[in-house]
Amino acid sequence: MSRKVTKAIFPVAGMGTRFLPATKAVPKEIMTLVDRPLIQYAIDEARAAGITEFIFVTSRGKSALEDYFDAAPELESSLKRKGKTELLETLQATNMESGAIAYIRQHQALGLGHAVWCARRLIGDEPFAVILPDDVVAAEKPCLQQMVEAYEETGGCMVAAMEVPRSKVSSYGVLDVKEDMGNMVSARGMVEKPAREEAPSNLAVIGRYILTPNVLNNLNTMKSGAGGEIQLTDAIGTELENGRDVYGYRFRGQRYDCGSKAGFLQATVAFALARPDLRGEFSQYLDEMMSVRNAAE
Ligand code: UTP
């Protein structure tokens, strides 16, 4: 099987309950980090990694996402007329090639594994990436690109991994490490949301994966696992049981959990401070806030 990865699945069918009431009307993936929706960061990362086919697994209430990727001819010509070249370029950078995006519905939120399985007919017999847009990774070289390059050497399945405090392991899929090669580990097993005392390590899986089509076959027969959901982690774990390789890749970069309020706020501050047009004013404001707060304590 070729090791070229050209397709990516974006599972965006979750209900985003942690952001209610906003997510009653706005899909989580459209919420903006500074001035770009989360999904745009995910698309840009995928493009940088060489992805040319983008598969969205959506659900009811996510039509704003489909609209976002539509062309906006009126807006474009209005910006053109007014000579707003920079804004026009920003807008045009979000345009997608016709036919590059496919939408599949997950009719019931049965879990991440089930969402990925819903895209099986669009994958065929080739490796594919999975990107969870609510995990945002700030990195010099985009996270998926790092992984695609590593995957060309290893094959197998690869998950992005990072060390987390022991107290947090129960929020993640966790790797049981067979061999530690530094920026990469080979896994012996994987467990979804283990209790702290049962976690095989503190090396947690975050929302970037490169998977082989075998994983989709494993999902064909998958029963629900942790939290009553069909877990992607379990389907990847089955690869290990079948004697195939699974690697954890310690990416270089800072990951933000934009599926949680605290993570989203942290990402907002970090991304704003990284922007030359905002940094000065914003950091001055933060300094003032902190001194007022410190004085009050
Ligand atoms: P989360 O666990 O963050 O769930 O899903 P959620 O529904 O998005 O958010 P909360 O927990 O209710 O606030 C992780 C990723 O898996 C997708 C989500 O869209 C998100 O990208 N997902 C999850 C699905 O596509 N389908 C599912 O059935 C479950």
Side-chain angles (χ1 to χ4, degrees):
M1 189 172 45
S2 153
R3 290 189 183 165
K4 199 160 167 41
V5 186
T6 60
K7 296 183 179 179
I9 300 177
F10 300 82
V12 291
M15 289 186 276
T17 53
R18 282 170 289 172
F19 281 97
L20 280 170
T23 43
K24 197 175 152 200
V26 185
K28 179 168 66 173
E29 301 74 23
I30 288 291
M31 290 179 12
T32 49
L33 203 45
V34 187
D35 52 10
R36 293 143 58 81
L38 288 184
I39 196 66
Q40 188 64 51
Y41 292 90
I43 289 281
D44 289 349
E45 187 179 328
R47 278 171 158 167
I51 300 296
T52 51
E53 290 182 54
F54 305 81
I55 302 164
F56 287 85
V57 182
T58 69
S59 58
R60 278 164 65 89
K62 299 273 178 170
S63 50
L65 256 178
E66 299 191 21
D67 292 344
Y68 177 77
F69 288 112
D70 259 351
E74 298 87 357
L75 196 50
E76 281 195 23
S77 48
S78 153
L79 292 174
K80 231 178 260 170
R81 252 195 334 271
K82 292 176 186 156
K84 298 194 170 174
T85 329
E86 216 174 299
L87 281 178
L88 184 63
E89 278 167 16
T90 305
L91 183 66
Q92 284 173 337
T94 65
N95 287 350
M96 302 293 285
E97 195 199 330
S98 291
I101 304 190
Y103 300 96
I104 293 278
R105 281 270 175 136
Q106 184 190 27
H107 293 106
Q108 257 183 303
L110 296 178
L112 176 59
H114 181 261
V116 169
W117 178 78
C118 287
R120 65 198 178 283
R121 293 202 176 87
L122 295 178
I123 294 298
D125 193 27
E126 50 189 297
F128 58 97
V130 176
I131 298 188
L132 305 190
D134 46 7
D135 267 341
V136 175
V137 183
E140 213 164 285
K141 182 184 278 190
C143 180
L144 190 67
Q145 188 181 349
Q146 295 176 37
M147 291 174 72
V148 162
E149 287 172 7
Y151 173 78
E152 279 165 11
E153 306 291 317
T154 61
C157 283
M158 185 175 284
V159 299
M162 63 180 234
E163 262 82 22
V164 299
R166 276 266 163 193
S167 56
K168 298 264 168 69
V169 285
S170 61
S171 304
Y172 294 90
V174 174
L175 290 170
D176 185 358
V177 175
K178 184 166 73 181
E179 194 186 347
D180 196 330
M181 290 93 80
N183 66 349
M184 195 123 68
V185 302
S186 95
R188 182 186 296 117
M190 273 174 87
V191 42
E192 184 64 31
K193 300 193 172 61
R196 180 184 178 154
E197 51 288 352
E198 279 158 24
S201 75
N202 67 335
L203 193 56
V205 176
I206 65 132
R208 301 286 183 277
Y209 308 77
I210 297 176
L211 303 176
T212 62
N214 291 329
V215 172
L216 298 172
N217 291 332
N218 301 343
L219 283 164
N220 280 335
T221 50
M222 210 65 351
K223 303 266 178 317
S224 47
E229 296 194 336
I230 296 176
Q231 297 290 356
L232 187 58
T233 307
D234 295 342
I236 301 171
T238 305
E239 284 301 279
L240 288 163
E241 286 161 23
N242 292 339
R244 289 189 276 259
D245 292 329
V246 174
Y247 299 95
Y249 182 80
R250 286 192 182 96
F251 57 95
R252 293 173 303 284
Q254 177 68 44
R255 173 255 187 182
Y256 297 94
D257 175 11
C258 290
S260 79
K261 285 183 264 239
F264 206 115
L265 290 168
Q266 287 158 14
T268 301
V269 173
F271 277 69
L273 289 176
R275 283 268 298 255
D277 57 331
L278 295 170
R279 189 184 299 138
E281 192 182 341
F282 190 54
S283 61
Q284 192 187 342
Y285 171 73
L286 290 179
D287 288 344
E288 282 163 17
M289 282 262 296
M290 290 316 289
S291 46
V292 169
R293 210 187 90 140
N294 292 340
E297 274 175 6

